[in-house]
Amino acid sequence: MLENIKYLLIPHSRERYGIYPSVLKQVFGQLSRDVQIYIYFTILKLLITLIFLVGALGCELSESHSTATTVVLHCICMLYHEFKYKVELENYDKLNLIQFTMEQQGMNLEEILDRQQFNKVMMTVKKLIFSQCLDLNREQKYLNFLAQVIIIRFFILMLNSPFHFNILEYFQESCDADLLNVLLIIILLMFLEFILLYCLVFVLVIALPLLCCLSIYRKGKQLYSIRRLKKYLDSIPPHKYTGSDDAWMKEDKTCCICMQEYIQHESVLQLPCSGQHQFHELCIRNWFNVSTSCPICRQQLG
């Protein structure tokens, strides 16, 4: 048993995957190193939590002790899960099946040109390993759920505690302050593992409805400005174009919206913008169905 644990903990070179194509050697080796790093990190969390939990046993039993115990339980289960995953990475029968499956899918296992393709192969290999071992998939879901419960529970505990600007000494007024401050750091690290999930929940639950409300408000404000502008335009009498001698007519005798020259007796509307620009009455009214600015100088009129 101890020899197996030692074999799983000590890093090995990827030459042990010598029977596989070069890409799979790199993928299996990278996945193995990632698992070992995560195992070391979990062991470190477990030891730190246990040390400070023992130191806090002299205090009255509180939420900190139950939270620390839950973190210890999560670390132990996580170590068991990662050890099983590491064993699967050493199972040549299943790795041979993975190679066969990927070749059947037409993936090029001889040469990967960029990092994106390499990461895609890594994700494919990981999914195939978990699909071959349903226990790993189920355990990962349970462990993720337990971690999220710990995070939410601890954040609720923080809300009920006095706030301090020094995050490393957040619980400095309690007897078990050292344990709680260490748990705060550990749980913040756990939170970083799920931050993408929490960001997605934030977008779906909070940000998306706010954006929808903001969009509706802006659209409503624009429609209100358009209606108010149309009423204002109704109060402006249009000019009848009679020729180039009209005193109110500018030098340009062309409507810049439809790009047509004015014809005798056509209705021309002069805007109250700084340039007093002129357009066909029908053209400018259609323009103000979608905008509240002058088509030429872009001055807001709504």
Side-chain angles (χ1 to χ4, degrees):
M1 181 65 179
L2 292 177
E3 287 297 325
N4 292 334
I5 294 177
K6 181 180 178 182
Y7 178 74
L8 292 173
L9 285 176
I10 297 176
H12 298 276
S13 63
R14 62 170 181 258
E15 277 69 22
R16 68 187 186 280
Y17 300 114
I19 62 174
Y20 299 105
S22 58
V23 171
L24 286 184
K25 287 182 188 178
Q26 297 177 21
V27 169
F28 294 154
Q30 183 65 47
L31 288 174
S32 180
R33 286 192 297 272
D34 292 345
V35 173
Q36 285 170 339
I37 291 173
Y38 195 78
I39 288 174
Y40 297 150
F41 177 67
T42 306
I43 292 175
L44 180 62
K45 286 196 303 182
L46 176 61
L47 293 177
I48 291 175
T49 306
L50 284 173
I51 290 171
F52 283 90
L53 177 59
V54 171
L57 290 178
C59 302
E60 182 181 355
L61 292 180
S62 63
E63 188 75 17
S64 65
H65 297 81
S66 61
T67 303
T69 304
T70 311
V71 171
V72 169
L73 177 63
H74 180 267
C75 290
I76 293 173
C77 294
M78 183 61 73
L79 283 174
Y80 173 74
H81 173 75
E82 293 299 321
F83 276 129
K84 282 181 64 176
Y85 179 37
K86 186 71 163 56
V87 169
E88 294 300 321
L89 283 172
E90 306 292 338
N91 190 331
Y92 290 108
D93 291 335
K94 292 188 177 181
L95 296 184
N96 289 335
L97 182 59
I98 288 175
Q99 179 185 356
F100 176 76
T101 303
M102 297 178 72
E103 288 174 349
Q104 289 293 318
Q105 294 176 355
M107 299 187 71
N108 180 13
L109 302 179
E110 296 298 332
E111 182 180 4
I112 298 296
L113 299 179
D114 54 36
R115 188 68 185 176
Q116 184 178 2
Q117 291 176 309
F118 181 78
N119 291 334
K120 182 180 178 180
V121 175
M122 281 187 61
M123 292 302 299
T124 304
V125 170
K126 193 170 182 178
K127 288 179 180 178
L128 289 174
I129 291 176
F130 276 79
S131 65
Q132 292 174 7
C133 187
L134 298 179
D135 289 345
L136 280 177
N137 200 13
R138 185 165 54 249
E139 289 169 5
Q140 186 179 45
K141 291 180 180 179
Y142 291 153
L143 288 170
N144 288 344
F145 176 75
L146 179 59
Q148 293 174 51
V149 170
I150 294 172
I151 292 170
I152 295 173
R153 182 182 178 187
F154 193 79
F155 281 175
I156 293 174
L157 175 62
M158 289 179 63
L159 294 176
N160 296 327
S161 302
F163 176 76
H164 301 286
F165 289 99
N166 187 352
I167 196 68
L168 298 179
E169 298 180 358
Y170 193 92
F171 299 96
Q172 58 186 341
E173 297 180 358
S174 60
C175 173
D176 50 356
D178 292 338
L179 175 62
L180 284 168
N181 288 321
V182 167
L183 286 176
L184 173 60
I185 298 173
I186 292 175
I187 290 175
L188 284 177
L189 293 175
M190 292 173 62
F191 176 75
L192 292 177
E193 298 178 22
F194 297 95
I195 193 156
L196 293 179
L197 174 63
Y198 283 106
C199 287
L200 179 61
V201 172
F202 174 80
V203 170
L204 293 178
V205 176
I206 299 177
L208 189 59
L210 287 177
L211 290 175
C212 291
C213 293
L214 180 61
S215 177
I216 294 172
Y217 169 75
R218 287 176 138 183
K219 188 65 177 177
K221 185 178 180 181
Q222 183 183 23
L223 292 175
Y224 173 75
S225 299
I226 289 174
R227 285 198 299 267
R228 188 176 63 178
L229 180 58
K230 284 186 174 181
K231 288 183 181 179
Y232 177 72
L233 291 178
D234 290 338
S235 64
I236 302 176
H239 297 281
K240 292 293 183 181
Y241 180 73
T242 58
S244 58
D245 296 333
D246 292 333
W248 52 269
M249 177 59 64
K250 302 294 182 181
E251 294 182 1
D252 191 2
K253 307 300 188 298
T254 303
C255 173
C256 74
I257 297 177
C258 65
M259 304 305 295
Q260 299 292 326
E261 292 186 358
Y262 300 125
I263 303 176
Q264 288 284 340
H265 307 299
E266 274 190 325
S267 294
V268 178
L269 197 63
Q270 188 176 51
L271 296 184
C273 58
S274 58
Q276 294 186 330
H277 299 115
Q278 300 156 342
F279 312 90
H280 284 128
E281 183 181 8
L282 181 60
C283 292
I284 193 60
R285 289 189 181 276
N286 289 334
W287 172 270
F288 284 132
N289 284 329
V290 295
S291 177
T292 58
S293 61
C294 173
I296 297 178
C297 64
R298 299 299 177 181
Q299 179 180 338
Q300 287 293 327
L301 302 174

